Amino acid sequence: MKYRPSASGEFTTSKMSAAVPFLVSYGSGSDSDSENETESNTSVEKVDSDAMAHLKPLQSGQTMSLAVLNSAPEVAVKEAVESGTHLDPSLKEVAYNPTYETMFAPEFGPMNPFKTQQMAAPRNMLSGYVEPAHVNDFMFEQQRRTFSTYGYALDPSVDTHQAFSNSYIGAVDEAEKNKGLTVFESGHKKSEKRKKVKGGDAGEIDTFLGPWAKYVDEKDVAKPSEEEQKELDEITAKRQKKGRNEDEAPAEEKTILHVKDMYDYQGRSYLHVPQDVGINLRSADSPDKCYLPKKQIHIWSGHTKGVSAIRLFPCSGHLLLSSSMDCKIKLWEVYGERRCIRTFIGHSKAVRDICFNNSGTQFLSAAYDRYLKLWDSETGQCISRFTNRKVPYCVKFNPDEDKQSLFVAGMSDKKIVQWDIRTGEVVQEYDRHLGAVNTITFVDENRRFVSTSDDKSLRVWEWDIPVDFKYIAEPSMHSMPAVTLSPNGKWLACQSMDNQILIFGAQNRFRLNKKKVFKGHMVAGYACQVDFSPDMSYVVSGDADGKLNIWDWKTTKLYHRIKAHDKVCISALWHPHETSKVITCGWDGQIKLWD
């Protein structure tokens, strides 16, 4: 935009007066000379005089003073720090009394106007400024709890010798009302002694109360009226009678045979191992290579409540014994038609555990009715009953051929009790555990047995010696309610309640094998039975979700997981003579065969 001075000479007379038309014409946006002159004249007349006041020259008669404003606050620079106007942030000691503004001035740069007071406050940790204070643990805890309960506490900023005056923070009115009472102090001050009822004259034996006199403010214990007392007596008498009946009278035993003929044309019973199914009764030293089971091939159903335990017939595994919470025990075929052969009825409460003897001709059952019963597998007759008025949690025959008349049971009263089935008497008690005994497992060619308990320990015992020679308990250990010995007899697989399977050596030192820990399943709260494949290549276990989990023994990786049951899958057995057959049972009342 061009500007040419007018011919009247306005530009040369005064710089200030010339600036007015200059600025006006500059704002007009016109290029021609004539337009400039005409527009400048008209616009000067239109513009308000107040708006142009600051452009006019100052009159000599009027004086005006202007305050100098510095919009940027002072910044701590080197000269200011050296002169003492600002504090050096690296200083540890100050030899003079600085002002508040000096102490809390920003280190460098202007103060951030967007910071709140809390954000701008000095901080030496994330949540604020912490000062060291000498308060012992008890005093701190007392004041913290008092503040959380009553809403007041002693002011920590006041010195200790002054703190016991009326210096409180929080609900000060409440503090004055309670006279500074803390949560650790009762309402009665030491000076205020409770008054007792006068005890009378010491000479009068009948009326003298002495130190046994009641306090004045002590209330009498409420006693039931005669009618209420009568009702209570009746209830307690019924309970005692019921308890005696339960203890004294065991349930009546009976059995049901479900197959048409108990014996075949040669007079052999169902206990005889079938020859036509190709069961390979080879030695356990050379088992065939095992494979993962893929699908369900059979369901044994017949129990009306959850199945608690399953056991295969010794050696051959051609029969399956199951115990249930419906108080019944059933015997099933594993091969052929897979029928239910016999039902054993004789417990009045849920059956907890079962165990065959070496030949399979007899088995023991342990139930919550506090009875252990010995049954004949072939005829279904109950041979004998054992009880010590406690609940048996597990039962095991001694596997030695010459000790088949002896068995041990882990009881709810922390003891392991040993019975002789010939006499029906207790011959030994192993009383060292501090909780109910959950499992008993024979190791080391049956010379020893391992027991686990609710006390979260593992104890190893010599047979017939009631003192444990090995005690394993670590602070990190949980209870292990299911234990299985490996087919080669070298390892114990223990289902731990922290959702992992731990492996202990089973030969000499019973050390925990830290390299072999099997995880990935949920079992907390359930005694899910663990098992090995015959060739020791896999470990199987059920879990709380009803799944069957299969791990690789060498790498401890979770290989396979199958949804086996609707409720808890409490047990999984790998058939000892089959390469890929696994039997599972669950709390849905079903027993399933997988291949």
Side-chain angles (χ1 to χ4, degrees), residues 71-128:
S71 59
E74 289 189 48
V75 176
V77 290
K78 192 178 177 186
E79 293 79 14
V81 168
E82 285 173 359
S83 63
T85 313
H86 284 278
L87 282 178
D88 185 357
S90 61
L91 273 181
K92 296 280 187 288
E93 259 182 48
V94 182
Y96 61 94
N97 290 338
T99 62
Y100 179 87
E101 287 76 15
T102 305
M103 287 180 71
F104 292 97
E107 285 186 23
F108 294 100
M111 185 76 79
N112 185 347
F114 300 107
K115 274 192 177 181
T116 61
Q117 187 182 356
Q118 189 177 359
M119 288 163 70
R123 294 195 296 180
N124 61 359
M125 60 178 291
L126 193 64
S127 57

Side-chain angles (χ1 to χ4, degrees), residues 481-497:
V483 177
T484 304
L485 183 69
S486 67
N488 61 13
K490 291 181 181 178
W491 306 101
L492 283 168
C494 305
Q495 186 77 264
S496 179
M497 283 293 94

Side-chain angles (χ1 to χ4, degrees), residues 458-504:
L458 185 145
R459 292 174 194 259
V460 189
W461 315 76
E462 295 275 357
W463 176 256
D464 228 1
I465 297 172
V467 180
D468 51 320
F469 80 89
K470 188 86 176 172
Y471 168 68
I472 300 164
E474 294 290 334
S476 60
M477 276 171 66
H478 290 67
S479 64
M480 298 178 288
V483 177
T484 304
L485 183 69
S486 67
N488 61 13
K490 291 181 181 178
W491 306 101
L492 283 168
C494 305
Q495 186 77 264
S496 179
M497 283 293 94
D498 56 349
N499 299 321
Q500 46 187 12
I501 297 168
L502 304 177
I503 305 295
F504 288 87

